[in-house]
């Protein structure tokens, strides 16, 4: 299954899925076309307040202006098995190569007495927040709003596949694993730009079901078409969404995850806010039987990593831990 040839990322008005007016079935049909042909789409009329997004961006810029010593007070090593906190430029790897970005890892806020926390389940626990007024409240409000949006979008995905609207929530995302990142891509030094690209994030596909990304106005996201890379510039009051490897697996390849990358050529730092809406940690990731007759051939030979999304068996937690352990090798040795 080769990459599709496309020249732009489609825009979908999802009001019909989020109670903003419109026909849910018509929205689902548009999502289905985008997932089959591109793997990426913008969403507008999504119901997440712009005032909340603006607040998150302003507070994030305030954090990244702090000196390194202040930022390291919430370093990931302090988050332990919850895998939360700050990492500096160069600490995160994509395909074994350092990314030109820094960021903070967040997730669903769980108290110390939560059963998963008490059991020591990785990627579960409390978040680490900087001492900035309103930061904690804004991040948690944003996670709540975009998680609800994720449920709505997955109901549309289910309809687009001829399934019941609640199919994913019933089988995989009743208790979704929510991973939220606040990333800052510093301006690349001119000398580095002149010699070779310094990728904010190198070519990759996402691990899970659905990514809901808010970009600032800098641009830099690129999506891989068959013959070239396509820019996915920011569109006001929109999110960019893309499907991940697990949705490709669940749909027998009917929907496909598309490689993408980030390069910051702006003359200032670039912010992005990806929320990964994933199956529950303990969900058994078996392809959806009702879709088997429409299965598409394995695209392993054409994939960026030469890996098959169809060979894995087990829980989503098993799959994800294998992946994230390669992103922060040193942290893996210390806490996992």
């Amino acid at each position: 299954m080769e990459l599709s040839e496309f020249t732009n990322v489609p825009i979908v008005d999802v009001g019909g899925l989020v109670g903003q007016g419109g026909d849910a079935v018509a929205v689902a049909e548009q999502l289905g076309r985008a997932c089959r042909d591109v793997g990426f789409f913008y969403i507008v009329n999504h119901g997440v307040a712009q005032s909340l997004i603006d607040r998150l961006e302003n507070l994030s810029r305030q954090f990244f202006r702090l000196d390194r010593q202040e930022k390291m007070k919430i370093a990931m090593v302090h988050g332990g098995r919850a895998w939360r906190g700050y990492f500096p430029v160069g600490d995160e790897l994509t395909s074994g190569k350092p990314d030109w970005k820094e960021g903070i890892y967040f997730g669903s806020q769980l108290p110390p007495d939560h059963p998963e926390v008490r059991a020591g389940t990785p990627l579960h626990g409390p978040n680490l927040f900087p001492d900035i007024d309103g930061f904690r409240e804004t991040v948690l409000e944003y996670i709540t709003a975009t998680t609800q949006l994720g449920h709505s979008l997955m109901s549309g995905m289910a309809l687009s596949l001829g399934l019941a609207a609640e199919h994913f929530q019933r089988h995989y995302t009743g208790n979704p694993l929510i991973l939220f990142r606040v990333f800052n891509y510093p301006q690349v030094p001119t000398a580095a730009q002149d010699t070779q690209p310094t990728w904010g994030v190198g070519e990759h596909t996402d691990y899970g079901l659905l990514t809901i990304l808010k970009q600032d106005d800098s641009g830099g996201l690129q999506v891989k078409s068959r013959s070239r890379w396509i820019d996915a510039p920011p569109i006001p009051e929109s999110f960019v969404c893309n499907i991940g490897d697990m949705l490709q697996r669940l749909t027998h390849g009917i929907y496909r995850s598309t490689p993408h990358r980030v390069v910051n050529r702006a003359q200032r730092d670039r912010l992005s806010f990806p929320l990964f809406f994933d199956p529950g940690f303990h969900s058994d990731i078996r392809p959806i039987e009702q879709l088997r007759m429409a299965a598409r051939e394995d695209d392993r030979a054409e994939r960026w990593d030469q890996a098959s999304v169809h060979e894995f068996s087990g829980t989503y937690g098993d799959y994800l831990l294998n992946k994230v352990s390669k992103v922060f090798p040193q942290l893996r040795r210390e806490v996992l």
Side-chain angles (χ1 to χ4, degrees):
M1 182 179 68
E2 294 184 343
L3 285 172
S4 298
E5 186 69 59
F6 55 89
T7 58
N8 64 283
V9 176
I11 302 172
V12 181
D13 183 329
V14 296
L17 294 175
V18 299
Q20 298 287 100
D23 182 347
V25 174
V27 175
E29 291 175 352
Q30 293 181 62
L31 290 178
R33 286 195 297 272
C35 291
R36 286 190 300 270
D37 299 340
V38 182
F40 268 76
F41 49 93
Y42 294 94
I43 58 170
V44 296
N45 200 19
H46 46 68
V48 179
Q50 186 61 41
S51 59
L52 172 59
I53 296 169
D54 291 343
R55 216 179 338 135
L56 178 64
E57 181 173 334
N58 291 335
L59 289 166
S60 298
R61 292 196 185 281
Q62 186 176 340
F63 171 79
F64 288 118
R65 285 195 295 266
L66 297 174
D67 61 38
R68 180 186 173 98
Q69 183 177 359
E70 282 297 311
K71 289 186 282 192
M72 291 300 287
K73 288 181 178 179
I74 60 164
M76 289 184 71
V77 68
H78 302 306
R81 294 174 69 83
W83 211 265
R84 310 289 170 84
Y86 170 76
F87 69 90
V89 173
D91 272 22
E92 182 169 294
L93 308 180
T94 299
S95 301
K97 298 179 180 179
D99 294 334
W100 192 266
K101 72 174 185 291
E102 59 182 331
I104 318 175
Y105 274 37
F106 297 103
S108 299
Q109 179 74 2
L110 301 178
D113 61 351
H114 188 280
E116 297 286 10
V117 180
R118 294 178 63 182
T121 306
L123 305 177
H124 292 73
N127 291 295
L128 303 178
F129 296 102
D131 187 17
I132 296 175
D133 287 346
F135 198 105
R136 180 184 190 276
E137 294 78 10
T138 298
V139 165
L140 294 181
E141 184 180 349
Y142 184 87
I143 289 174
T144 297
T146 45
T147 296
Q148 183 56 54
L149 175 60
H151 281 295
S152 298
L153 292 174
M154 290 310 301
S155 72
M157 298 282 198
L159 292 173
S160 74
L161 291 161
L163 304 169
E166 64 275 11
H167 183 91
F168 287 103
Q169 189 162 8
R170 183 187 302 152
H171 296 284
Y172 307 105
T173 62
N175 182 28
L177 183 63
I178 300 299
L179 306 173
F180 175 52
R181 314 295 189 230
V182 174
F183 288 145
N184 181 53
Y185 298 83
Q187 180 182 348
V188 178
T190 303
Q193 291 187 36
D194 291 344
T195 55
Q196 60 182 356
T198 300
W199 301 115
V201 181
E203 180 179 351
H204 68 288
T205 52
D206 292 343
Y207 308 141
L209 287 182
L210 176 69
T211 302
I212 303 172
L213 170 69
K214 181 62 185 177
Q215 308 182 73
D216 72 3
D217 59 3
S218 301
L221 175 63
Q222 296 180 326
V223 181
K224 195 172 189 178
S225 180
R226 182 184 303 162
S227 62
R228 61 192 176 110
W229 287 92
I230 304 298
D231 287 330
I235 294 177
E237 299 189 13
S238 76
F239 290 103
V240 184
C241 297
N242 64 277
I243 62 177
D245 293 344
M246 285 300 96
L247 190 55
Q248 179 171 331
R249 173 179 169 77
L250 290 176
T251 63
H252 297 271
I254 298 170
Y255 291 171
R256 47 180 291 274
S257 55
T258 301
H260 50 287
R261 67 188 186 187
V262 175
V263 59
N264 183 16
R265 298 201 181 281
Q267 297 305 305
R268 62 179 176 85
D269 291 3
R270 172 188 183 270
L271 289 180
S272 75
F273 307 92
L275 181 129
F276 302 96
F277 185 91
D278 289 353
F281 190 85
H282 303 291
S283 296
D284 190 10
I285 306 300
R286 297 182 181 180
I288 300 168
E289 185 62 31
Q290 298 97 305
L291 305 178
R292 183 176 297 277
M293 294 299 294
R296 298 168 74 177
E297 64 184 52
D298 194 343
D299 64 346
R300 178 176 190 157
E302 289 79 31
R303 277 181 59 90
W304 65 280
D305 57 358
Q306 303 290 294
S308 173
V309 302
H310 303 292
E311 291 181 350
F312 167 79
S313 63
T315 67
Y316 184 64
D318 295 333
Y319 176 85
L320 187 60
L321 289 179
N322 178 60
K323 294 291 187 179
V324 300
S325 67
K326 299 174 183 177
V327 175
F328 292 99
Q330 181 178 351
L331 191 61
R332 172 196 63 194
R333 292 190 293 269
E334 293 173 354
V335 305
L336 290 183

